[in-house]
Amino acid sequence: MRLAVLCAALSLLAAPAGAQGTAWRHGVVEAKSDAGIVFMPGEHEFAARQGLKIEFMQFKGDAIAIKAFLAGELDSYEGNPGAAMLAAAHGADVRLVGCYWPGMTYGLFVRQGITDFAALSGGNVAISGPGSLPDLVVRAMLQKHGMAPSDVRFAVLGSDADRFRALSQGLVQAAAFSTEFMPLLPTQNLHLLANAAEELPDYLRFCTFISGRTLRERQAQAAGFLAAEMQGWAYALAHIDEAVALSHRLTGSKPDDPRSAALFAQVAQFHAVDPTAPVPMDKLRWIQNLLVQTKNLSAPFDLSRLVDTQLRTDALSRAGIGGS
């Protein structure tokens, strides 16, 4: 069975309507309150003007998306840089071309009564999967607070919503998920133990990845794809009400659901999204050092094997967006 079929069982497919163009298969984490930003490049002909139609494939987590990408089922995907670093260190053909969500709108949440990390010792902590954003963020937080991963028991529980429900029902003592759930905490007897934006200011949430082969063989299309993404992200930040409405439409949430508005407020507060998709080498080196400290990575490697900056330069020119 092809991996795409397996992924379909784990994901929903969403391709916003638009003019016809060459298909570009892009993997994303399943739509939630940030969907108005993530999926906006598929709206308003941004992709069509580049001769493309972005086909969004949604996954429970970026650890699953990278598997589909490495299997050749995707032209690109977005996720945390940690998993891609681990893959590149083992020779995988993956290139980081920009990080449009450099800020962390993420946190570690716990049930009432838990007030510090020491109280998590021996408890169950919900993550998404090995190498995923929740997994690496939790490991980084534990390391910062003098704890080892072996001090807790990791529970692999799909999406942010899955982990929120598990924590609300008392199935786990802590869970990592998006801070979009902040407005719902009081009714569920939960609270935020650690905000990733403050605990891990150098961790990057979402970067975009394309294979080296695709960059060589389809450079113009790749630049067009990234340019459409940039234009869509910039539009979303400039049209918050429309972006929130798109989030509601794609997730099926009600207009009075407070999560999207809360998420967009956090994006503004922490300047979490940058439509120019920078490539912050200092933060990438910090993440690599963190992976070595947490023993996810045996030793540092030359990050030039992972990073491609030329595509971003070409895309900025196509998009008409300035960037440093």
Side-chain angles (χ1 to χ4, degrees):
M1 182 184 294
R2 288 174 62 82
L3 183 59
V5 177
L6 293 174
C7 291
L10 296 169
S11 66
L12 302 171
L13 296 180
Q20 293 298 312
T22 300
W24 183 277
R25 302 163 302 169
H26 183 54
V28 298
V29 175
E30 70 177 7
K32 49 184 185 293
S33 297
D34 59 12
I37 297 174
V38 175
F39 290 85
M40 190 62 80
E43 305 288 311
H44 295 290
E45 310 297 316
F46 296 122
R49 287 196 290 270
Q50 301 293 336
L52 300 172
K53 180 179 180 180
I54 301 174
E55 296 181 351
F56 291 97
M57 294 188 66
Q58 300 183 51
F59 299 85
K60 285 289 188 181
D62 57 352
I64 302 174
I66 191 174
K67 292 178 181 178
F69 171 79
L70 294 174
E73 299 294 339
L74 300 171
D75 297 306
S76 59
Y77 87 97
E78 60 190 56
N80 90 90
M85 279 187 189
L86 298 177
H90 290 87
D93 182 20
V94 56
R95 300 290 183 273
L96 183 155
V97 297
C99 300
Y100 81 99
W101 206 302
M104 289 292 288
T105 47
Y106 222 75
L108 182 64
F109 297 83
V110 295
R111 298 191 61 76
Q112 293 295 343
I114 297 176
T115 58
D116 56 30
F117 276 80
L120 296 178
S121 182
N124 295 313
V125 179
I127 60 170
S128 178
S132 65
L133 177 67
D135 175 42
L136 297 177
V137 163
V138 169
R139 289 174 184 271
M141 288 183 176
L142 289 172
Q143 190 266 343
K144 180 176 179 180
H145 289 269
M147 297 179 67
S150 58
D151 290 333
V152 301
R153 294 190 295 268
F154 290 109
V156 177
L157 295 173
S159 67
D160 282 6
D162 295 328
R163 294 189 293 281
F164 173 75
R165 283 192 293 269
L167 185 61
S168 298
Q169 295 167 9
L171 301 178
V172 296
Q173 284 67 55
F177 48 77
S178 169
T179 48
E180 71 190 59
F181 289 91
M182 293 282 285
L184 306 184
L185 299 183
T187 63
Q188 301 299 318
N189 201 31
L190 308 178
H191 71 100
L192 176 66
L193 179 64
N195 190 324
E198 298 166 346
E199 289 271 317
L200 307 171
D202 290 325
Y203 207 104
L204 301 162
R205 187 182 181 199
F206 284 150
C207 299
T208 302
F209 302 93
I210 302 176
S211 72
R213 178 177 179 178
T214 298
L215 292 177
R216 292 190 300 273
E217 297 179 355
R218 301 174 60 192
Q219 195 278 337
Q221 288 183 349
F225 159 73
L226 189 56
E229 290 273 283
M230 290 174 169
Q231 291 176 332
W233 300 325
Y235 183 91
L237 294 179
H239 300 82
I240 298 298
D241 289 345
E242 182 180 340
V244 170
L246 179 59
S247 293
H248 288 312
R249 173 163 64 84
L250 292 176
T251 61
S253 57
K254 297 179 180 179
D256 61 352
D257 188 318
R259 287 176 292 176
S260 288
L263 186 281
F264 279 83
Q266 292 156 19
V267 166
Q269 178 183 354
F270 293 106
H271 305 287
V273 174
D274 185 341
T276 69
V279 181
M281 292 303 299
D282 55 339
K283 293 189 175 185
L284 291 173
R285 283 189 288 269
W286 180 87
I287 293 172
Q288 179 176 240
N289 291 334
L290 174 67
L291 293 177
V292 173
Q293 292 170 17
T294 58
K295 302 188 186 308
N296 290 89
L297 194 63
S298 60
F301 68 97
D302 184 0
L303 288 176
S304 65
R305 289 162 46 189
L306 173 68
V307 172
D308 179 286
T309 58
Q310 184 57 52
L311 188 77
R312 175 178 181 262
T313 299
D314 296 343
L316 286 169
S317 177
R318 281 177 174 245
I321 296 175
S324 58

